[in-house]
Amino acid sequence: MANKKAKTYLCATLHYNPLKMNKAVAGFSKLSKEEKINWIASAYFSNPENAIQLLKKYWNSDEKLQKLHDEFIENTISNFYIPLGVAPNFLINGKYHTIPMAIEESSVVAAASKSAKFWASRGGFKTTVINTEKIGQVHFLYKGDVSKLDLFFTQTKAKFFSETEHLTKNMQQRGGGILDITLEDKTTLLANYFQLHATFETKDSMGANFINSCLEQFANILKSEAQAYEIFTEEEKNIEVVMSILSNYVPNCIVRAEVSCPVEELAEKHIENPQLFAERFVQAVKIAEVEPFRAVTHNKGIMNGIDAVILATGNDFRAVEAGVHAYAAKAGHYSSLSHAKIENGIFSFWLEVPLALGTVGGLTSLHPLVKLSLEMLENPSAKELMEIVAVAGLAQNFAALRSLTTTGIQDGHMKMHLNNILNQFEATAEERTLVQKHFKNHVVSHSGVVNFIESIRK
């Protein structure tokens, strides 16, 4: 019935002025893909046919592949393209990698590739996975004697493990499972607020579904066992579970990536005085360690590299972003994720970041380009992917800081951005040649390029 009403409403809207529509649509999710697109085009666009044509241009001609993409999310109307590039020559722990990067920002892939080439001749990147612990919590309210709750938890803890064995059996066979469960008293922060704080090892899967399933079972056990616990009063038995959910803050799922070499080996075309460069570089990092306004932009550059690889390999870059930025503030103020020093004539640059990643499950087994990206990386384990992702972040950060402390960030970035400006103005091949020739010896700026295009067109 809802679908019939929606189709009737849809037909009616096609006769209205689309710019004056301000009505809700009934049963939108039950409409077909074509009907959804027609409604959107009529409701929001002055030229509905152009909008429909544009959306359909981005459909894949392979119907089976398009259906796969349509079913990743709800209410799909088209595909949104982001370029998939590669950064070669990454020497990581003595082995070369070509890293896939899905990102739309100019110069990121080029910068990462340049850093990879720079460090490949200086020993490459070294990485260490420090820990792979994931976290989940059952948040609940308890009104009563805290000592009785402590005793209850001690006596019940074994059941949290035994009564989730049907969920953990397969994970345990792969070497993972529930590591520990603790009772956390948070009543100094919020009245009557407690947690079951659980830690997990999920091996090559990111583990979100596994963790959440365990947590919901913990919640059921908590409530049922409390009802049967004889020393609780009636009020104490009525534990109120607010929610059961994993945490994307994983401060004990850490990977370290680093580079180092004698200071004199830093010399290259734009680094004529390697000692001065190293000192400025270290100073730039120290500024990001103490100044939050700089630290945010500094860490954003790191995430340019990290997010691009995470997206290409089908992982959740939003979860990683949230956890990484929380980690950057773990000391009580927001600070740089990377660090640098000069010691005994050796320049060292490193970062440690929390990365909860997976190479099995989710999009890793569904999205064709994700599968291709993982195969390009030689089907890494979750730990190996953590190392590769951290290196991409460090490489991107090195490239940015090298530019900032030598030629300036805009020189390289705006040259890469030049193509975007030319595309924006639909420059011809002849115009592109003239523009590129002119800006070999002139500073690239948006206004400068626009003015030059306009001058040659006149």
Side-chain angles (χ1 to χ4, degrees):
M1 186 67 180
N3 194 28
K4 186 176 180 181
K5 285 183 178 179
K7 288 181 179 179
T8 303
Y9 179 76
L10 171 67
C11 293
T13 63
L14 295 175
H15 301 290
Y16 290 155
N17 182 339
L19 300 181
K20 291 185 178 180
M21 288 195 59
N22 188 27
K23 294 183 179 180
V25 56
F28 183 78
S29 64
K30 294 181 175 62
L31 297 176
S32 70
K33 183 178 176 181
E34 289 273 2
E35 290 165 344
K36 288 170 184 171
I37 290 171
N38 288 337
W39 181 81
I40 289 167
S42 298
Y44 296 107
F45 294 91
S46 57
N47 191 327
E49 283 304 315
N50 281 357
I52 292 169
Q53 287 175 18
L54 180 61
L55 288 171
K56 290 186 175 181
K57 277 184 182 180
Y58 283 84
W59 289 6
N60 198 291
S61 58
D62 183 327
E63 290 186 9
K64 184 178 179 182
L65 186 60
Q66 184 57 54
K67 186 174 184 294
L68 176 69
H69 282 268
D70 285 348
E71 292 176 355
F72 284 156
I73 61 169
E74 305 79 22
N75 296 337
T76 304
I77 58 173
S78 193
N79 305 312
F80 191 91
Y81 289 175
I82 289 179
L84 177 65
V86 294
N89 303 318
F90 272 93
L91 182 60
I92 305 173
N93 298 333
K95 181 180 178 180
Y96 277 98
H97 296 265
T98 295
I99 299 180
M101 304 180 78
I103 190 166
E104 84 299 338
E105 185 173 327
S106 300
S107 78
V108 169
V109 176
S113 301
K114 192 173 181 180
S115 286
K117 185 177 179 181
F118 181 94
W119 284 107
S121 62
R122 294 165 175 82
F125 296 84
K126 306 293 188 297
T127 60
T128 307
V129 174
I130 297 171
N131 208 331
T132 56
E133 179 185 282
K134 315 280 175 59
I135 291 170
Q137 297 165 323
V138 177
H139 305 268
F140 68 93
L141 302 179
Y142 167 80
K143 298 176 182 178
D145 186 334
V146 176
S147 64
K148 286 199 281 185
L149 181 64
D150 287 333
L151 182 61
F152 164 75
F153 173 74
T154 301
Q155 295 176 354
T156 309
K157 183 174 179 178
K159 286 192 175 182
F160 292 121
F161 288 90
S162 63
E163 295 187 18
T164 52
E165 284 183 352
H166 63 290
L167 298 172
T168 63
K169 182 180 178 180
N170 289 339
M171 187 65 75
Q172 287 178 359
Q173 289 174 349
R174 300 199 300 270
I178 305 164
L179 299 176
D180 195 16
I181 309 166
T182 59
L183 174 67
E184 303 292 326
D185 184 340
K186 298 288 183 176
T187 54
T188 57
L189 303 175
L190 196 63
N192 308 315
Y193 172 38
F194 294 83
Q195 295 173 0
L196 293 183
H197 183 95
T199 52
F200 301 83
E201 170 58 62
T202 60
K203 305 307 288 182
D204 287 335
S205 67
M206 189 274 170
N209 289 332
F210 167 74
I211 292 171
N212 288 335
S213 294
C214 290
L215 294 172
E216 289 184 1
Q217 183 67 0
F218 293 165
N220 292 333
I221 297 165
L222 178 68
K223 290 187 291 184
S224 63
E225 290 299 316
Q227 284 294 321
Y229 196 59
E230 293 181 354
I231 69 169
F232 275 164
T233 64
E234 286 305 308
E235 184 178 38
E236 290 169 338
K237 287 180 179 181
N238 291 321
I239 285 175
E240 181 185 346
V241 173
V242 179
M243 54 186 166
S244 307
I245 186 71
L246 88 164
S247 174
N248 290 128
Y249 182 41
V250 283
N252 292 323
C253 188
I254 302 294
V255 58
R256 177 185 173 100
E258 57 192 310
V259 289
S260 65
C261 70
V263 170
E264 61 268 20
E265 291 184 11
L266 292 169
E268 61 151 9
K269 180 181 177 181
H270 295 297
I271 306 175
E272 295 178 359
N273 186 333
Q275 182 65 38
L276 179 60
F277 166 76
E279 290 172 358
R280 283 181 176 172
F281 192 102
V282 171
Q283 193 63 55
V285 175
K286 289 187 179 298
I287 289 171
E289 288 174 344
V290 301
E291 170 51 67
F293 284 92
R294 171 59 198 143
V296 170
T297 309
H298 178 94
N299 290 344
K300 186 268 182 186
I302 292 172
M303 299 313 294
N304 277 344
I306 287 177
D307 283 350
V309 188
I310 288 175
L311 192 55
T313 57
N315 279 273
D316 188 343
F317 70 91
R318 300 157 299 272
V320 170
E321 279 270 0
V324 165
H325 292 303
Y327 188 76
K330 67 183 185 301
H333 69 279
Y334 191 86
S335 182
S336 169
L337 291 162
S338 62
H339 309 280
K341 67 178 180 180
I342 303 167
E343 193 170 273
N344 300 322
I346 302 296
F347 169 80
S348 299
F349 180 49
W350 72 97
L351 61 72
E352 291 182 3
V353 284
L355 294 174
L357 305 179
T359 55
V360 298
L363 283 186
T364 62
S365 58
L366 283 176
H367 198 300
L369 285 178
V370 167
K371 290 193 283 188
L372 181 142
S373 294
L374 289 170
E375 187 173 351
M376 187 189 306
L377 293 172
E378 301 181 67
N379 295 313
S381 66
K383 283 185 176 181
E384 289 167 337
L385 185 58
M386 287 171 68
E387 294 171 326
I388 292 165
V389 169
V391 163
L394 187 68
Q396 190 62 32
N397 196 212
F398 178 80
L401 290 171
R402 178 174 59 179
S403 294
L404 283 168
T405 55
T406 53
T407 60
I409 200 75
Q410 285 302 88
D411 180 57
H413 178 76
M414 289 307 294
K415 283 180 180 177
M416 291 297 298
H417 189 53
L418 183 57
N419 278 337
N420 290 344
I421 303 172
L422 291 172
N423 287 334
Q424 181 184 344
F425 284 87
E426 299 181 348
T428 65
E430 183 181 359
E431 288 171 338
R432 285 173 181 272
T433 301
L434 291 171
V435 169
Q436 288 165 351
K437 183 178 179 181
H438 176 78
F439 284 100
K440 278 186 177 180
N441 302 309
H442 293 81
V443 175
V444 178
S445 68
H446 188 277
S447 59
V449 176
V450 172
N451 290 338
F452 186 74
I453 291 174
E454 289 177 347
S455 70
I456 61 177
R457 286 179 175 177
K458 288 177 181 177

